[in-house]
Amino acid sequence: MKDNFSNQASQYSKFRPHYPQELINHVLSFVKNKETALDVATGNGQVAIALSQYFHTVYATDISENQLQHAPKIINVIYKNQSAEETDFHDKQFDLITVAQAVHWFDFNKFYAEVNRILKPNGIIAILGYGLFSTNPDTDKILLDFYHNIVGPFWDAERKYLDENYKTIPFPFEELETETFSNVFTWNFDQIIGYLETWSAVEHYKAHHNQNPIDIIREELKISWKKSDKKVTFPMLIRVGKLK
């Protein structure tokens, strides 16, 4: 599993979009028992915190200690600095395992073997994420050029799984039918810039060129954003399954 986000942990915590309660509720509707949950690659703990309201105990793992330091401390959430593919959990320990915006970084075979080991026979695995956001036609034109052409060469190969809405990831489980969700925000200019700063491709571009690619579009984006309704819509990605 790659760690592309330790250097951006504070930005990630501040600017990454949260998951809508409707999506969390939908995942929970598949889970019969709510004793123990695991959120893998928890990052800043968004999904773990959401699950903590419903489960007796929530474990949350990440390979980035820096990310975990920015996660809220909740009494029934236990954070662990470990990889997705190798954990120290007991066999058949979890009623629910979630992965949000991270499964594309994993070694699929090793991770799914671990899921088969630690998920209860009637447990649920839920893969969550969000695709490229949309705004208004003028701003989208700027952002699509930025996404594909300016930082496009600097995306990791795994990004394709998000572009394909997680439909092409391996998913060796009995898949359950899910609903469709989107997440809508009203963002000011600082928020949209802050979110772009969390992109791994932006970090890779900075390292390669020693300059921030956002500066290329900053002024044009500011003018466009000032004229817009400032709405941002993320398509939510979800796949839910149980052991075969």
Side-chain angles (χ1 to χ4, degrees):
M1 178 183 174
K2 292 183 181 179
D3 179 8
N4 275 336
F5 304 103
S6 283
N7 292 337
Q8 310 143 278
S10 60
Q11 290 284 97
Y12 205 91
S13 178
K14 186 175 181 181
F15 291 111
R16 280 282 167 144
H18 64 266
Y19 291 84
Q21 187 61 45
E22 295 82 4
L23 179 64
I24 300 297
N25 291 344
H26 188 53
V27 170
L28 292 171
S29 72
F30 295 101
V31 185
K32 293 179 181 177
N33 301 310
K34 297 180 177 66
E35 182 66 26
T36 314
L38 169 63
D39 185 41
V40 181
T42 195
N44 57 19
Q46 282 188 30
V47 173
I49 299 307
L51 295 178
S52 70
Q53 301 176 55
Y54 306 94
F55 287 81
H56 184 270
T57 306
V58 176
Y59 289 87
T61 63
D62 205 284
I63 59 169
S64 169
E65 184 64 42
N66 202 18
Q67 283 275 19
L68 295 177
Q69 291 299 321
H70 287 84
K73 305 304 182 275
I74 304 291
I75 194 167
N76 65 329
V77 177
I78 301 168
Y79 294 103
K80 291 195 168 198
N81 181 204
Q82 55 185 243
S83 75
E85 296 90 350
E86 293 182 45
T87 72
D88 60 7
F89 298 117
H90 301 304
D91 292 356
K92 300 177 176 53
Q93 184 169 345
F94 296 103
D95 300 293
L96 171 67
I97 296 174
T98 57
V99 187
Q101 200 70 1
V103 76
H104 52 287
W105 301 119
F106 297 176
D107 180 315
F108 291 119
N109 290 336
K110 289 182 179 178
F111 172 63
Y112 289 141
E114 191 69 348
V115 169
N116 273 276
R117 183 182 72 81
I118 63 178
L119 190 63
K120 292 179 182 177
N122 60 347
I124 293 294
I125 177 168
I127 306 295
L128 310 176
Y130 44 86
L132 181 63
F133 68 103
S134 60
T135 56
N136 58 83
D138 287 344
T139 304
D140 281 351
K141 186 176 179 181
I142 298 166
L143 291 172
L144 284 170
D145 181 62
F146 181 74
Y147 180 84
H148 290 292
N149 300 321
I150 296 174
V151 300
F154 295 92
W155 286 111
D156 293 91
E158 295 90 342
R159 177 72 196 185
K160 69 173 185 173
Y161 291 115
L162 284 167
D163 289 336
E164 293 160 356
N165 297 321
Y166 276 170
K167 290 177 181 175
T168 56
I169 62 168
F171 198 68
F173 305 99
E174 181 184 334
E175 188 152 11
L176 306 175
E177 188 175 346
T178 56
E179 297 174 12
T180 301
F181 298 88
S182 60
N183 215 4
V184 182
F185 302 94
T186 301
W187 276 358
N188 61 35
F189 185 68
D190 288 342
Q191 285 172 301
I192 196 166
I193 292 294
Y195 175 65
L196 295 179
E197 290 277 10
T198 70
W199 284 7
S200 59
V202 169
E203 283 292 291
H204 295 332
Y205 185 105
K206 287 179 185 177
H208 188 268
H209 288 293
N210 201 30
Q211 71 176 96
N212 190 341
I214 297 171
D215 291 340
I216 298 170
I217 64 166
R218 192 182 301 270
E219 290 308 312
E220 185 184 13
L221 186 61
K222 184 183 288 185
I223 293 167
S224 173
W225 202 246
K226 192 172 183 180
K227 294 187 294 186
S228 77
D229 62 4
K230 301 173 177 59
K231 289 282 191 295
V232 175
T233 302
F234 285 88
M236 305 307 297
L237 316 179
I238 177 172
R239 296 188 72 175
V240 174
K242 58 185 180 179
L243 300 181
K244 289 184 176 178

